[in-house]
Amino acid sequence: PTKSARIRMAEMDAHAIAAIGARKEWFCPQILLAEHEGKVLRVICRAMSGLVIEDRFAAGAGCGFALHMKGKAPVITAVEVDPEDGQSLILTLSAPIKGAAHLAYAYGVEGPSGDGFSANRGALRDGWTASSRAGDSLYRWALPAFVPCHPGGV
């Protein structure tokens, strides 16, 4: 890691230790459940504040999400925070899911990216932010995930 990356990592550790020392929760957003109906995939998350989509790492239109299944998987064409539930996402698909599928987030990409960022990257974080001595801001980015997609419930 670069010097500024090491500074940001140490600052994130310090924020987490301070919160836990004060007996407060501290965790990065987690993906818990994926349910599909038609061309919509609803993703239920757990975060300490409302979810935010911010593509700082060039994760693309799928924001770091990808479907894995036998045969050709539908493409994720849009990702948005559910306007009725800030702890959920709505993913729009190019076609309905037919058969067993898993949703990956910032997970499962093989090989180098070629652009200086990790090949496994995403655009999902919560609303927490803090200033960094490295000259930018700190964020709690979502953890990588690989969850089964269940029919219904959208």
Side-chain angles (χ1 to χ4, degrees):
T2 64
K3 181 179 179 181
S4 64
R6 288 191 305 273
I7 290 169
R8 287 190 302 273
M9 288 187 294
E11 289 172 334
M12 288 298 291
D13 287 348
H15 282 287
I17 291 166
I20 292 168
R23 300 195 183 273
K24 295 180 180 176
E25 286 192 312
W26 177 274
F27 58 89
C28 293
Q30 303 165 342
I31 294 168
L32 304 177
L33 177 68
E35 299 176 313
H36 63 91
E37 186 174 317
K39 292 183 178 183
V40 175
L41 182 63
R42 180 179 174 82
V43 180
I44 311 299
C45 301
R46 179 175 182 246
M48 293 186 65
S49 62
L51 297 172
V52 175
I53 301 291
E54 182 181 355
D55 195 7
R56 296 181 66 135
F57 307 112
C63 295
F65 289 96
L67 286 169
H68 294 259
M69 58 189 298
K70 288 184 180 179
K72 185 171 167 65
V75 174
I76 298 166
T77 59
V79 178
E80 63 182 331
V81 176
D82 185 340
E84 296 178 15
D85 178 3
Q87 297 277 311
S88 296
L89 303 170
I90 302 295
L91 281 59
T92 304
L93 309 176
S94 62
I97 294 174
K98 298 190 188 287
H102 284 81
L103 178 68
Y105 174 74
Y107 176 85
V109 177
E110 296 181 14
S113 68
D115 64 3
F117 292 117
S118 169
N120 289 296
R121 56 186 145 177
L124 180 62
R125 63 177 180 84
D126 68 11
W128 178 87
T129 185
S131 296
S132 170
R133 290 184 306 125
D136 54 2
S137 296
L138 302 172
Y139 302 101
R140 281 190 299 235
W141 294 98
L143 299 173
F146 192 75
V147 297
C149 297
H150 301 281
V154 176

